[in-house]
Amino acid sequence: MAQPAVGGEIERLIQLLARLPGLGPRSARRAALALIKKKEALMQPLARALADAAAAVTVCSVCGNVDTQSPCTICADPRRDGSILVVVEDVGDLWALERAAATRGRYHVLGGVLSPLDGIGPDDLNIASLVGRVRESGAAEVVLAMNATVEGQTTAHYITDQLAGSGARVTRLAHGVPVGGELDYLDDGTLAAAMKSRTPF
Ligand SMILES: [Zn+2]
C-alpha cells in the first residue's frame, strides 16, 4: 500500500473534509490545499469560526431549529406571525424558505420523515411537540412543507390525522410547474400533480 504523501494532521483534515456533503476525497484534497496555502487569510479564521460555532450552536426548544439561542431568533421575533406554523423536515428546508422570504409565519422542524424501512417512527420525530404546540398556541393554519417524496407525503398524511380536531386548517405546498418551467420538459408525475392542484386564474 502506498504511504500517505502528507503528514497525519493534514491527512486527518482531508478525511474530515471528505465527509462534508458535496465533497469527495479529490475535492477534499483540493480544499485542504487551498486552506494550507491561505493559512492566515482562510485556514485560521475558519478554524476559529468552527470552534465558535461548535461552542454556540444549540437546538431551539420550541421549534427544533438550530441557532445560537433558544428560543431561536425566529421564535423570539415578535414580528413573525404565530397563527401560521410551517412544518419542515429539516433545518435546510427552513433555511431555503427563509432565503426565499416565502412566509412570515413560524416553523416547526420535524428532524426527518417517517420511514418504516429505516426504522423511523413518529416517536423519532418532533411530531408530539408539534401537536402540543398547535393545541396550545391555537394556530389558525399549519402548512405542511414536506418534500414531494413518498416519505414526505406519508408524513404529511400522518400529521394531518394527528391534528384532526385541533381547530387548525392544515394545508400543504402546491405540487406543480416550477417557475420558468416548460411543460414539455416536466416528468409525468409533476404534470399530473400540477393539473390536479390547478387554481382559479
Ligand atoms: Zn425556534
Side-chain angles (χ1 to χ4, degrees), residues 38 56 104 156 163:
K38 293 182 180 166
R104 292 301 300 162
L163 289 174

Side-chain angles (χ1 to χ4, degrees), residues 60-66 69-76 94 107 133:
C60 175
S61 61
V62 178
C63 75
N65 187 17
V66 292
Q69 62 181 61
S70 176
C72 70
T73 309
I74 294 172
C75 284
L94 184 159
Y107 294 95
R133 201 177 158 199

Side-chain angles (χ1 to χ4, degrees), residues 83-159:
S83 71
I84 301 174
L85 273 188
V86 182
V87 182
V88 293
E89 293 176 19
D90 280 307
V91 174
D93 303 324
L94 184 159
W95 286 359
L97 289 166
E98 283 297 292
R99 272 202 310 277
T103 178
R104 292 301 300 162
R106 295 209 159 106
Y107 294 95
H108 200 86
V109 183
L110 293 178
V113 279
L114 296 175
S115 180
L117 285 178
D118 300 314
I120 301 173
D123 294 344
D124 300 309
L125 306 174
N126 298 324
I127 293 178
S129 60
L130 168 67
V131 175
R133 201 177 158 199
V134 171
R135 290 187 197 280
E136 276 163 33
S137 69
E141 181 177 358
V142 176
V143 184
L144 300 177
M146 331 269 61
N147 290 327
T149 58
V150 173
E151 291 85 1
Q153 296 311 302
T154 304
T155 307
H157 282 294
Y158 180 82
I159 292 174

Side-chain angles (χ1 to χ4, degrees), residues 28-89:
R29 280 196 295 275
R30 290 175 61 189
L33 194 56
L35 288 169
I36 291 163
K37 283 180 177 170
K38 293 182 180 166
K39 189 176 157 185
E40 273 85 29
L42 190 58
M43 193 181 209
Q44 287 170 343
L46 178 68
R48 281 193 293 274
L50 281 172
D52 292 349
V57 74
T58 186
V59 175
C60 175
S61 61
V62 178
C63 75
N65 187 17
V66 292
D67 203 339
T68 55
Q69 62 181 61
S70 176
C72 70
T73 309
I74 294 172
C75 284
D77 185 347
R79 292 166 301 178
R80 304 296 294 223
D81 183 355
S83 71
I84 301 174
L85 273 188
V86 182
V87 182
V88 293
E89 293 176 19

